């Protein structure tokens, strides 16, 4: 005969064990969910939108020119963008894991992307300034490329935080004199600063808001060079007006090459693309048309691929990252200047199977 008392004890113990197991499972799931949603110190990069600069927006050409003849093109010249986590607390672990597993996304440490004082507002303001400057340089480069004269004077460009110019000069200040030397071109700025004594105050006479003022700046020795932490920029006297109309929220300097190509094409009879769908990226470093590196090259290649581009222009200085991208059937061509880019597009437009400069060739030449 069974003992009802002992059976009751066994059932009670079993019930408590089951309850403990359920509680442990719930806590485990809750822990996993909590960890998955907690912010990490990473930033995720996604492919962004692309914009055909030769297209119309609500019946208006994106490239608007006043005072010069314009000509249509039946193809596409697309600028590319990326989306990335804004400054703040970083991304949840779940998002970081999806980024790491994605062929087109990338995940980078927060500190490699943002500074401690960066905010969404400061980044938006900086991107807007960079976009405005990028368009100015790109338009000037396009006009100079076409043989049109563009008078220009050097001005204070973006200022690096923590460097001598930070807090002393203001972006868009126009250089008048440095150390008593008149400044007429950018080479004058480089020459005077490079020959200055590090740590000794140098008098900068600049024009700001229509007034001249003198500001002392102490150059610093960094990486074997004497610097103040200011990037190159210019104030251009355009011979006619060129406006570029983009969707709201697009900023940064990386569309400079595509701006310049589109403006040059718009001002030139005939079609540069001959109906081809071309995309690309690259900062226009100067009015001479040199192309500089940008961030998020792999995501921009992916965005262009999804938009149906047939050819993508890669800054040669981004080739080490570009070769890791997934372009699909889209061809990649490496360029270093606006002249390079125009030649590549016209060559491709004439023959889609033509030989083009590749990133593999760029990397091979660099290694040898």
């Amino acid at each position: 005969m069974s003992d009802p008392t002992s059976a009751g004890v066994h059932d009670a113990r079993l019930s408590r064990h089951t309850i403990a197991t359920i509680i442990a499972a719930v806590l485990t799931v809750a822990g996993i969910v909590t960890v998955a949603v907690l912010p990490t110190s990473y930033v995720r990069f996604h492919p962004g939108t692309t914009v055909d600069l030769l297209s119309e927006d609500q019946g208006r050409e994106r490239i608007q020119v006043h005072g010069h003849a314009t000509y249509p093109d039946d193809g596409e010249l697309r600028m590319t963008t990326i989306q990335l986590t804004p400054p703040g607390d970083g991304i949840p672990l779940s998002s970081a894991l999806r980024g790491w597993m994605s062929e087109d996304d990338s995940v980078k440490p927060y500190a490699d992307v943002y500074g401690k004082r960066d905010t969404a507002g400061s980044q938006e303001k900086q991107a807007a300034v960079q976009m405005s400057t990028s368009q100015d340089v790109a338009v000037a480069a396009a006009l100079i490329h076409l043989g049109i004269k563009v008078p220009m004077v050097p001005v204070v460009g973006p200022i690096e935080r923590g460097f001598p110019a930070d807090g002393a000069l203001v972006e868009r200040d126009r250089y008048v004199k440095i150390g008593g030397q008149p400044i007429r071109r950018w080479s004058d700025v480089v020459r005077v600063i490079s020959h200055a004594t590090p740590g000794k105050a140098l008098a900068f006479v600049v024009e700001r808001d229509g007034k001249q003022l003198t500001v002392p700046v102490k150059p610093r020795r960094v990486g074997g060079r004497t610097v103040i932490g200011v990037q190159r920029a210019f104030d251009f006297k355009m011979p006619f007006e060129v406006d570029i109309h983009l969707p709201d929220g697009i900023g940064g300097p990386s569309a400079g090459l595509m701006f310049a190509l589109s403006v040059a094409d718009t001002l030139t009879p005939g079609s540069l693309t001959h109906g081809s769908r071309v995309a690309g990226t690259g900062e226009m470093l100067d009015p001479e048309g040199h192309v500089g590196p940008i961030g998020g090259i792999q995501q921009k290649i992916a965005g262009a691929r999804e938009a149906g581009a047939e050819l993508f222009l890669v800054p040669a200085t981004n080739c080490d990252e570009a070769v890791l991208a997934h372009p699909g059937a889209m061809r990649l061509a490496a360029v270093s200047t606006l002249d390079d880019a125009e030649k590549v597009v016209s060559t491709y437009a004439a023959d889609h199977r033509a030989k083009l400069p590749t990133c593999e060739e760029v990397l091979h030449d660099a290694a040898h």
Side-chain angles (χ1 to χ4, degrees), residues 79-268:
M79 60 168 287
T80 52
T81 68
I82 59 171
Q83 294 180 337
L84 70 161
T85 312
D89 296 326
I91 56 175
L93 178 60
S94 57
S95 180
L97 291 173
R98 288 196 297 272
W100 279 317
M101 291 185 292
S102 170
E103 284 189 341
D104 296 328
D105 291 6
S106 66
V107 178
K108 297 183 179 181
Y110 187 95
D112 289 354
V113 181
Y114 297 122
K116 293 181 179 180
R117 294 188 291 174
D118 285 332
T119 65
S122 68
Q123 285 293 301
E124 183 177 346
K125 182 179 179 181
Q126 181 183 22
V129 171
Q130 290 174 332
M131 172 59 74
S132 176
T133 301
S134 172
Q135 291 187 6
D136 288 346
V137 176
V139 171
L143 300 190
I144 292 171
H145 172 75
L146 297 177
I148 300 172
K149 291 184 178 181
V150 181
M152 67 188 82
V153 293
V155 297
V156 174
I159 300 170
E160 298 182 53
R161 287 181 177 176
F163 275 70
D166 189 12
L169 300 177
V170 174
E171 194 164 339
R172 307 307 297 177
D173 280 350
R174 186 175 73 82
Y175 298 106
V176 178
K177 293 182 179 181
I178 303 177
Q181 300 296 313
I183 302 300
R184 297 185 178 88
R185 54 187 63 86
W186 179 252
S187 59
D188 295 334
V189 178
V190 175
R191 174 179 50 80
V192 176
I193 294 176
S194 63
H195 288 86
T197 303
K200 183 179 179 179
L202 195 60
F204 279 69
V205 180
V206 297
E207 184 177 299
R208 182 185 303 169
D209 298 328
K211 299 179 180 180
Q212 283 194 12
L213 63 155
T214 301
V215 181
V217 180
K218 294 181 180 180
R220 180 189 304 169
R221 196 73 175 170
V222 177
R225 298 186 304 127
T226 303
V227 300
I228 63 170
V230 171
Q231 297 180 32
R232 176 163 59 172
F234 300 90
D235 183 13
F236 302 103
K237 306 298 181 183
M238 301 296 184
F240 49 87
E241 185 179 353
V242 179
D243 295 317
I244 303 174
H245 298 276
L246 299 175
D248 293 338
I250 295 180
S254 63
L257 171 61
M258 301 311 292
F259 289 154
L261 266 182
S262 301
V263 170
D265 188 21
T266 299
L267 296 174
T268 306

Side-chain angles (χ1 to χ4, degrees), residues 261-320:
L261 266 182
S262 301
V263 170
D265 188 21
T266 299
L267 296 174
T268 306
S271 170
L272 174 63
T273 67
H274 290 289
S276 301
R277 297 190 298 274
V278 180
T281 187
E283 181 178 359
M284 190 57 56
L285 295 177
D286 50 48
E288 290 75 36
H290 295 98
V291 178
I294 51 82
I297 185 68
Q298 296 176 34
Q299 289 70 54
K300 291 177 178 177
I301 289 173
R305 179 197 70 211
E306 293 303 310
E310 304 161 330
L311 171 67
F312 190 94
L313 304 176
V314 179
T317 42
N318 278 123
C319 276
D320 56 340

